[in-house]
Amino acid sequence: MSTIPMAITDFAEMKARGDKIVMVTAYDYPSARLADAAGVDIVFTGDSAANNVLGYPDTTPISMDEMVMLARAARRGTQRAFFMVDLPLGAFQVSDEDAVRNAMRLVKEAGAQAVKIEGAGPMLSRARAIVNSGIPVMGHIGLTPQTATALGGYKAQGRTAAKARQLYADALALQAAGCFAIVLEAVPGRIADTITAALRIPTIGIGAGAGCDGQVLVWHDLLGINEHEMQRFVKQYAHVAAEIRSGLETFVAEVRSGAFPTGEHEYKIPAEELRLFEAEVAPGVLAGDDWL
Ligand code: KIV
């Protein structure tokens, strides 16, 4: 694997060559380090940190301050991969100025090399404004979790001709607004294929079939840290929660039984020093308040 850091220009070239782009979320330093070392192309602090690490019910409550704190940690673990951060709900919807200000914060305070925003329509102007400020933007259409309520829940999108046509138009509009790539979430594979073929910029699928130019999954889903029922598009490549549970249960049992710690986990003191110390604290030598 090359150690040359990924650059924004690599992604269009990868699409042209037919090389798949691999993206994964990371919300902390050790996860980002592991993803980076595994050869992931884009390490991404998504606002899915809200439900995956902060315990919120969905992505809507997470704040800019929380995103910055998590992203800073993930940034420290990312060396070769391209590093991208989500603009959370409320950070870009209000105005273009707000969007640019918050995108700048992610660059300056968290080391983001690009930001991702959800939606098209009125958000096209936000994408354009951020791109014009010099910050690369990844679009995100289809199932957009920040506005899932307005979509009627966490459902596949673009399943009628009219809705698929809208997604197609939105993807082209995001490309025209200057996005360097677009996430297609929970979109029928055949629709994603047509959109992918129509775009110069890469599509990154999550539940959008094999024809996308790249794939993204959420860290906690793909590694089996999350154990709740997964969306149809998740494949679990490990079962880390089971490993963690078994390790913790053994730790609890060994502390209670006295099996841990043993001598090998203990620091030693030279015998002579120990003898002197024990002579000092022997009963009757120095007692009680004399030590204070
Ligand atoms: O926040 C997130 O996890 C996302 C997905 C597309 C990976 O936006």
Side-chain angles (χ1 to χ4, degrees):
M1 184 183 63
S2 161
T3 53
I4 300 169
M6 296 296 297
I8 186 87
T9 45
D10 290 333
F11 302 114
E13 290 171 14
M14 287 175 83
K15 175 176 178 117
R17 285 198 304 269
D19 291 348
K20 295 286 186 188
I21 299 164
V22 185
M23 170 166 147
V24 73
T25 67
Y27 318 113
D28 59 31
Y29 171 76
S31 310
R33 268 190 67 174
L34 289 167
D36 192 82
V40 160
D41 301 306
I42 304 177
V43 168
F44 167 54
T45 303
D47 63 353
S48 53
N51 39 303
N52 287 305
V53 296
L54 298 182
Y56 292 126
D58 54 42
T59 61
T60 59
I62 196 166
S63 67
M64 272 297 295
D65 286 349
E66 287 167 323
M67 287 300 299
V68 166
M69 192 270 283
L70 298 168
R72 282 167 71 95
R75 181 67 183 117
R76 289 181 206 115
T78 309
Q79 273 161 16
R80 188 200 73 95
F82 194 75
F83 182 66
M84 194 177 74
V85 185
D86 241 346
L87 275 168
L89 182 70
F92 63 98
Q93 284 82 359
V94 175
S95 67
D96 288 358
E97 290 72 23
D98 227 24
V100 172
R101 192 175 312 112
N102 283 317
M104 280 294 167
R105 249 195 100 183
L106 295 179
V107 171
K108 290 173 77 80
E109 295 178 37
Q113 294 175 287
V115 300
K116 179 168 80 54
I117 64 172
E118 293 187 8
M123 298 309 125
L124 292 169
S125 146
R126 308 291 185 266
R128 207 173 296 113
I130 300 170
V131 170
N132 286 342
S133 79
I135 301 172
V137 174
M138 184 180 282
H140 180 162
I141 53 174
L143 172 54
T144 45
Q146 292 177 1
T147 46
T149 310
L151 296 174
Y154 290 81
K155 296 178 181 159
Q157 300 296 306
R159 298 182 80 183
T160 64
K163 289 191 169 152
R165 203 179 310 118
Q166 185 62 55
L167 281 178
Y168 184 87
D170 288 346
L172 287 168
L174 283 166
Q175 174 175 265
C179 288
F180 75 98
I182 302 177
V183 166
L184 299 177
E185 178 163 356
V187 170
R190 295 289 291 272
I191 305 304
D193 292 351
T194 306
I195 293 173
T196 300
L199 294 176
R200 292 184 312 277
I201 60 173
T203 56
I204 311 289
I206 176 163
C212 291
D213 299 304
Q215 297 292 327
V216 56
L217 281 178
V218 164
W219 182 264
H220 290 59
D221 292 345
L222 88 96
L223 293 176
I225 299 170
N226 281 336
E227 292 187 298
H228 54 70
E229 202 190 326
M230 294 292 135
Q231 279 148 307
R232 169 191 187 100
F233 54 73
V234 175
K235 178 169 176 185
Q236 291 199 300
Y237 289 85
H239 298 282
V240 170
E243 273 290 297
I244 292 175
R245 196 176 315 102
S246 141
L248 287 172
E249 283 169 3
T250 309
F251 172 59
V252 168
E254 289 199 355
V255 170
R256 295 204 199 294
S257 71
F260 174 83
T262 61
E264 65 179 302
H265 306 111
E266 197 177 306
Y267 294 101
K268 310 287 187 235
I269 180 171
E272 177 56 13
E273 297 298 327
L274 182 61
R275 197 191 57 72
L276 289 171
F277 167 72
E278 287 180 343
E280 273 182 40
V281 299
V285 179
L286 276 175
D289 291 347
D290 294 343
W291 281 99
L292 301 178

